[in-house]
Amino acid sequence: MPVSWKWWESHPFTLASWNPGYRRPYSLPTETSPSQGKKENNVGIDKDSQDNLPSSRSSSRSSSRSNSEASLIQVQPFEEEQKLTFLIRPYDGFTSRLRDFCLRSATQPRATKVLLEGPYGTRRPLRTFETVILIAGGSGITGVLPYVHDLITEPKGTTMTRITYLIWACRQRAFIRNVANYELRPALHRPNIDISLFATSSSEEYKTGEEETQRFIDIANPSELELEINSGRPDIKQTMKNIVGMGPRNCRTAVMVCGSACLADDTRQIVHRLLKQGLSIPLSIIPRPHQTVNPSRLEALRKQLNFPCLAAAHSKNGSFACGVTGLRRNGSPPTIRESDQFHLGSNTKAMTATLVALLAKDGVLSWNTTLAQALPELSAGMDNAHRNTTLKMLTAHRSGLVGDYVQDAPFYESLYDPLLTEREGRWLITERAMSKPPAGQLGTFAYDNINFVIAGAIIDVITNSTWEAVIRSRLFAPLDMGNCGFGPNDESSRFSIENPWPHQRNPVAGAPALPMTKLDLRHRDSPPAINSAGRVHCPMEQYNKFLRVHVDGACGKETPLGLSPEDFRFLHMPYLKAEGEEPYTPGAWRSPNRSPDGSRYTLTHVGSNKYNYVTAWAVIGGGRAETYMSMTNVGGYKVGEGTQRVVKELMNQSLLF
């Protein structure tokens, strides 16, 4: 505690702001009579600083004020350094002595001992909320200012906050003007910050003692701010209703209040009442802090599951936590890295379905487009059973198609021909399937890759391009997924170990998985024609961007894809014809858990090309917007049970800390 601390005095001041190299210009109250002005010059106020002040704000006003009034004048600036800013209202006792201590040396800093302790509590990462409502009363602005600074200084792309509302009520207009000129100045006039100021007292007087009254008129900064300060108290209830009404549905909103106990209680009751009235916007006060994957627990799981490598990731509130452990290839030293590519297998299907949604938004096709309409060149030889099959039925695996081409070994091997393009391969498979009746029943769920091979062929035809070019331009580019590719993970040669190698389960119980050393690069995956059904590979962090776009889009947030919330919800709605059917969606997700009104649900899918495995989950609604994934470089018996176990530990947080 500075100055003359007395053991019976306790003055815990709240830090208002911190800035490296930021200097808040001194503003000192001085009596305005000529004689008093000379007296202040004698104790060190720089005369040049006085002369440089705007004349309209200094001497011309000073002569008309009473002795009980004062102005603020600017002193010689000090050398810039890191600054801790405290806002202190002087009363009697210690705060009065502190003010006098500062005034005794107006032009030079004074050294004194200060006792610092803290910080207390936990930091609330408000940048993880789409809407932030900050409410302050009086000196409670000191609790709000650090969050305002945090929100406006976050680098682009690291915050989810789209709009911040600050409501501050204070008795003195002068105090509001003073804080607005300095601590709040960087936030003023920003398009994504709405600031409402209220002065609850009609008087301009700022009482600092029983007999001392000073009017603080800010003339320290030549550029006078134009502020709109409302008279009276803010209507918190109506203001919050207006904010909620203007915002998007189901976005995450944080409400923070710092002020008197009465203000805090009133705000808490208002939030409670608004929620009881059925507002659909989730209101959150204390988000969870950023979490990370526990590496020791992840390694323990890998050993128990006997996987060559294991990766796990979780995203929530704008944070992404991931962890990896193990080897790229059993028997070789290179260890797995977080930036390594992982093969997604059938989780590629949701990407193809998302492309269909984008083309439907463009108006070049619709979910009700039939195969006869989408593939006119095959119409003449198309079996009648396929003519009325729609794209929606195709991507929901309700076409009745079964890919018997896999059992035709010569045909299947021909798809690996390096002279055969991916588009040509898809066309051969599609032409073969359309020429014969479906093996299954139209409308009944039957999962098969051929549905998405044909969907890829339709995208080829509709765009007069290739599925590969379309997914790069319409999905990978806008989502910044530049390290995604097709086929086996990238390697510079058959023997290099630059990414996770493909493995199969060892038939000997408990023995290490077997790396597929006898396969050439091309045969480490399905034929290239299957790209649209299951051959995308990418790093975890980039795959999470695809998962996030579905979570965020369904929650009403704008996404780089430009799809509406209704578009995403269509992709997530199960194609059900009868109770108990497989809850598979046209967007190529399983949605096994849904609330009766569909406002809360989960999405999941697994992918494997026999040599790799991935499990992905998304939780949407009810105030949650989370993704989970687990990946490994081995396929085969019960591998999926292992990756599901990892996801379960992510969900119950036993794998996080």
Side-chain angles (χ1 to χ4, degrees):
M1 192 65 69
V3 202
S4 54
W5 175 55
K6 296 178 174 58
W7 64 266
W8 63 85
E9 291 181 319
S10 177
H11 295 274
F13 300 122
T14 303
L15 179 65
S17 66
W18 170 88
N19 276 296
Y22 170 76
R23 177 180 48 78
R24 190 182 198 275
Y26 265 90
S27 298
L28 304 176
T30 63
E31 293 183 7
T32 57
S33 65
S35 61
Q36 292 297 328
K38 293 177 181 178
K39 179 179 179 180
E40 292 296 341
N41 280 334
N42 290 334
V43 298
I45 296 179
D46 185 78
K47 189 176 186 303
D48 291 336
S49 298
Q50 286 182 303
D51 294 339
N52 290 333
L53 293 175
S55 58
S56 60
R57 300 299 304 276
S58 54
S59 59
S60 61
R61 283 187 167 183
S62 299
S63 60
S64 63
R65 286 198 291 253
S66 66
N67 289 340
S68 64
E69 296 176 331
S71 66
L72 289 179
I73 64 175
Q74 184 175 7
V75 301
Q76 186 73 14
F78 301 144
E79 182 180 354
E80 291 190 355
E81 57 186 6
Q82 292 184 348
K83 293 289 184 179
L84 299 178
T85 300
F86 297 84
L87 300 179
I88 301 170
R89 181 178 181 179
Y91 283 91
D92 292 333
F94 170 75
T95 53
S96 176
R97 296 195 304 276
L98 177 61
R99 177 202 57 205
D100 295 340
F101 175 81
C102 294
L103 290 177
R104 280 197 291 271
S105 180
T107 60
Q108 296 295 327
R110 302 203 64 188
T112 185
K113 292 182 180 180
V114 178
L115 303 181
L116 295 178
E117 59 175 332
Y120 296 103
T122 59
R123 181 174 179 267
R124 314 297 192 216
L126 299 186
R127 63 183 180 278
T128 63
F129 293 84
E130 291 93 332
T131 301
V132 174
I133 303 173
L134 305 172
I135 302 171
S139 60
I141 190 67
T142 58
V144 168
L145 284 171
Y147 290 98
V148 174
H149 290 176
D150 185 48
L151 290 169
I152 65 177
T153 56
E154 281 296 319
K156 187 176 181 181
T158 63
T159 177
M160 297 173 63
T161 305
R162 298 171 59 189
I163 182 71
T164 299
Y165 297 91
L166 170 60
I167 306 160
W168 179 28
C170 181
R171 289 186 67 245
Q172 302 83 12
R173 292 174 183 267
F175 182 37
I176 295 174
R177 286 196 297 269
N178 194 263
V179 173
N181 259 311
Y182 300 108
E183 283 71 35
L184 270 180
R185 194 181 191 97
L188 295 175
H189 310 304
R190 287 177 174 258
N192 60 339
I193 298 184
D194 186 290
I195 299 178
S196 300
L197 306 173
F198 294 84
T200 59
S201 174
S202 59
S203 171
E204 286 290 314
E205 292 184 342
Y206 186 91
K207 297 183 178 180
T208 59
E210 291 182 359
E211 299 179 352
E212 183 179 17
T213 301
Q214 295 177 330
R215 177 175 295 178
F216 289 82
I217 300 175
D218 189 359
I219 58 174
N221 196 315
S223 57
E224 177 74 6
L225 286 175
E226 293 184 6
L227 298 174
E228 180 180 349
I229 304 177
N230 303 284
S231 298
R233 299 182 182 277
D235 187 339
I236 302 295
K237 180 179 180 180
Q238 188 59 47
T239 301
M240 289 188 61
K241 288 182 69 174
N242 293 341
I243 292 172
V244 171
M246 291 186 297
R249 292 176 61 84
N250 298 320
C251 75
R252 286 175 52 79
T253 298
V255 180
M256 176 183 176
V257 58
C258 188
S260 66
C262 181
L263 177 63
D265 290 341
D266 287 348
T267 303
R268 190 179 298 109
Q269 291 178 11
I270 290 168
V271 171
H272 176 68
R273 289 169 186 166
L274 290 176
L275 290 174
K276 286 186 67 176
Q277 292 173 11
L279 290 173
S280 60
I281 185 167
L283 294 161
S284 302
I285 302 297
I286 305 176
R288 291 182 182 272
H290 177 72
Q291 295 175 302
T292 59
V293 174
N294 187 331
S296 60
R297 177 56 187 163
L298 189 65
E299 172 61 11
L301 282 171
R302 186 196 67 79
K303 289 181 177 179
Q304 292 173 21
L305 298 170
N306 196 19
F307 291 168
C309 80
L310 181 60
H314 168 230
S315 75
K316 178 182 179 181
N317 300 335
S319 67
F320 177 71
C322 67
V324 295
T325 186
L327 302 173
R328 291 174 174 171
R329 170 183 157 175
N330 269 346
S332 299
T335 56
I336 199 75
R337 296 181 181 179
E338 292 179 359
S339 59
D340 281 357
Q341 296 170 345
F342 288 90
H343 197 280
L344 301 183
S346 287
N347 285 23
T348 301
K349 291 179 173 64
M351 297 180 177
T352 298
T354 303
L355 291 184
V356 174
L358 289 168
L359 295 175
K361 180 178 72 74
D362 295 343
V364 297
L365 51 71
S366 78
W367 287 102
N368 293 321
T369 297
T370 65
L371 295 183
Q373 294 169 332
L375 300 168
E377 294 182 29
L378 298 180
S379 181
M382 185 179 293
D383 188 273
N384 287 333
H386 299 304
R387 291 188 175 276
N388 294 322
T389 300
T390 65
L391 266 173
K392 179 180 178 181
M393 298 169 69
L394 197 70
T395 59
H397 297 285
R398 302 283 179 153
S399 66
L401 287 162
V402 176
D404 61 352
Y405 66 92
V406 179
Q407 283 73 46
D408 186 340
F411 177 80
Y412 190 76
E413 182 59 33
S414 72
L415 298 174
Y416 283 106
D417 186 344
L419 299 179
L420 185 73
T421 67
E422 296 94 336
R423 175 171 176 163
E424 290 169 344
R426 280 189 291 272
W427 189 255
L428 289 175
I429 295 172
T430 302
E431 187 176 34
R432 175 189 173 104
M434 294 294 97
S435 65
K436 60 181 88 173
Q441 183 178 351
L442 187 67
T444 300
F445 178 80
Y447 185 91
D448 201 286
N449 278 343
I450 194 170
N451 292 289
F452 280 83
V453 174
I454 296 174
I458 291 173
I459 292 174
D460 293 339
V461 172
I462 292 293
T463 62
N464 193 28
S465 181
T466 66
W467 175 90
E468 290 77 14
V470 174
I471 196 171
R472 284 193 181 102
S473 63
R474 299 298 300 272
L475 201 66
F476 294 166
L479 296 183
D480 193 21
M481 297 170 64
N483 290 335
C484 296
F486 315 112
N489 296 336
D490 291 341
E491 295 289 348
S492 57
S493 74
R494 179 176 174 176
F495 305 103
S496 64
I497 310 175
E498 297 160 357
N499 278 294
W501 260 53
H503 292 72
Q504 278 189 327
R505 280 292 207 188
N506 197 315
V508 179
L514 300 172
M516 305 309 293
T517 56
K518 295 182 180 181
L519 294 178
D520 60 47
L521 291 176
R522 199 165 182 84
H523 284 81
R524 290 181 184 179
D525 203 353
S526 305
I530 317 298
N531 277 350
S532 56
R535 290 183 90 243
V536 166
H537 62 248
C538 61
M540 285 189 297
E541 192 256 346
Q542 294 196 7
Y543 179 49
N544 188 66
K545 292 180 179 180
F546 175 73
L547 298 180
R548 287 297 331 172
V549 82
H550 276 265
V551 172
D552 294 342
C555 291
K557 293 181 61 178
E558 284 188 36
T559 72
L561 300 184
L563 294 174
S564 68
E566 292 72 26
D567 293 328
F568 283 106
R569 286 193 282 269
F570 176 85
L571 291 169
H572 302 167
M573 179 64 67
Y575 186 110
L576 298 177
K577 296 185 66 177
E579 191 69 26
E581 285 190 321
E582 175 67 18
Y584 203 88
T585 78
W589 303 97
R590 289 186 69 250
S591 185
N593 307 299
R594 300 184 72 88
S595 63
D597 63 356
S599 62
R600 303 185 305 278
Y601 58 90
T602 61
L603 300 174
T604 185
H605 211 282
V606 298
S608 178
N609 66 346
K610 300 188 297 183
Y611 311 127
N612 301 273
Y613 210 100
V614 56
T615 296
W617 281 79
V619 181
I620 299 171
R624 298 182 66 184
E626 304 172 37
T627 67
Y628 304 87
M629 71 180 81
S630 175
M631 299 168 167
T632 186
N633 57 340
V634 61
Y637 182 62
K638 290 191 174 182
V639 172
E641 293 180 12
T643 54
Q644 288 284 16
R645 178 182 171 186
V646 174
V647 168
K648 184 177 180 180
E649 292 211 11
L650 285 171
M651 289 182 170
N652 64 28
Q653 301 196 32
S654 59
L655 189 50
L656 298 171
F657 73 132

